[in-house]
Amino acid sequence: APMTQSEAYSSYREQQTPLRRPAGAQGVTGFSPAAYGRPVGANTYAPETDRAYNAYTEGNLQCIEKLILEQVGKATTHPPLKGLKIELPKAYTGQDDVHTFFNHLASFLRCCRLARLTGPEFEEDRILLYGEALGDRPREWYNRQVTRPTRSKLVWTLKELVQEIYLRFINVANVTAPIDSYNSVKYTRARGALDFANELEYFATQMVEQPTE
């Protein structure tokens, strides 16, 4: 008989390092729960829901920081790849979807690695290049806040920039989206148990409260 989500996920977790709830937002530059941690009308929510929204946002901001540090934080000693044509990912245009946002970021950072734009000395180049990977409203915001001479913030880091784009275009109410995605994953013989469990694990790591069964 086909395995249920809980059975497959429990089997997978027995062989993995236990998943952990995202830590607090210490060290996350630019995050203000009062400004970004709640959807409109959040004063009507229970404290437990309020904390869940904040923890979800904090966890994703930390994920952005970690992803950037791991992918481009250290300079590479390898020479540029000859004859390789590197194309930026399709522009992020402000889609209110966490998966789209992080897939775009991962693709952008991969392009930076292939172009050997890694380490502190290429931070300014990465910031300029990130602007080219944006479109529509995010690109308009970038032009106003990052490149315009009258901008209020003169110096940006890539981490700060990506986190700010996230805060402005991803609705914090999406805290329930990973739960919905987790519950919608279906097991089929064609995809197999491992692929099924991997997809469950992917969505589970994005939950504020991760499944225990």
Side-chain angles (χ1 to χ4, degrees):
M3 289 187 291
T4 65
Q5 280 94 334
S6 294
E7 291 171 341
Y9 186 62
S10 296
S11 176
Y12 178 78
R13 287 189 63 182
E14 289 177 357
Q15 306 174 45
Q16 306 297 318
T17 301
L19 299 172
R20 299 186 183 275
R21 186 176 181 176
Q26 292 85 352
V28 179
T29 304
F31 174 65
S32 170
Y36 299 110
R38 308 174 186 177
V40 175
N43 58 335
T44 61
Y45 290 114
E48 294 78 9
T49 304
D50 221 20
R51 285 193 292 270
Y53 282 120
N54 289 337
Y56 178 74
T57 300
E58 293 163 6
N60 282 336
L61 291 177
Q62 289 190 331
C63 184
I64 290 171
E65 182 175 8
K66 183 178 180 180
L67 191 60
I68 292 174
L69 180 63
E70 289 181 348
Q71 295 299 311
V72 299
K74 296 181 180 179
T76 180
T77 58
H78 301 295
L81 298 174
K82 295 182 179 181
L84 178 64
K85 183 179 180 180
I86 302 173
E87 296 184 1
L88 289 174
K90 183 179 179 181
Y92 173 70
T93 56
Q95 299 94 320
D96 185 11
D97 182 86
V98 172
H99 309 306
T100 298
F101 180 89
F102 276 102
N103 284 337
H104 176 268
L105 176 59
S107 296
F108 170 76
L109 295 175
R110 188 158 50 248
C111 288
C112 290
R113 285 177 63 87
L114 289 172
R116 303 301 190 243
L117 296 177
T118 58
E121 64 177 311
F122 290 108
E123 181 75 342
E124 185 175 352
D125 296 285
R126 290 192 294 267
I127 291 172
L128 291 173
L129 196 61
Y130 189 66
E132 296 301 309
L134 301 174
D136 295 344
R137 292 181 300 142
R139 181 63 174 271
E140 293 174 2
W141 180 89
Y142 177 94
N143 290 339
R144 290 195 308 269
Q145 301 297 330
V146 181
T147 62
R148 182 176 292 181
T150 56
R151 63 191 183 276
S152 58
K153 182 178 175 62
L154 296 179
V155 180
W156 289 85
T157 65
L158 182 63
K159 180 198 74 172
E160 292 171 340
L161 175 57
V162 176
Q163 287 177 338
E164 190 66 27
I165 292 290
Y166 174 92
L167 290 170
R168 291 187 175 274
F169 295 100
I170 300 298
N171 188 344
V172 71
N174 282 329
V175 65
T176 61
I179 299 174
D180 296 336
S181 298
Y182 178 89
N183 291 331
S184 68
V185 177
K186 303 297 181 184
Y187 171 83
T188 64
R189 290 185 177 181
R191 69 186 302 181
L194 180 59
D195 184 59
F196 175 60
N198 284 340
E199 190 166 0
L200 288 175
E201 192 263 352
Y202 172 74
F203 291 122
T205 57
Q206 300 173 35
M207 297 180 189
V208 175
E209 293 289 352
Q210 294 166 4
T212 56
E213 296 183 355

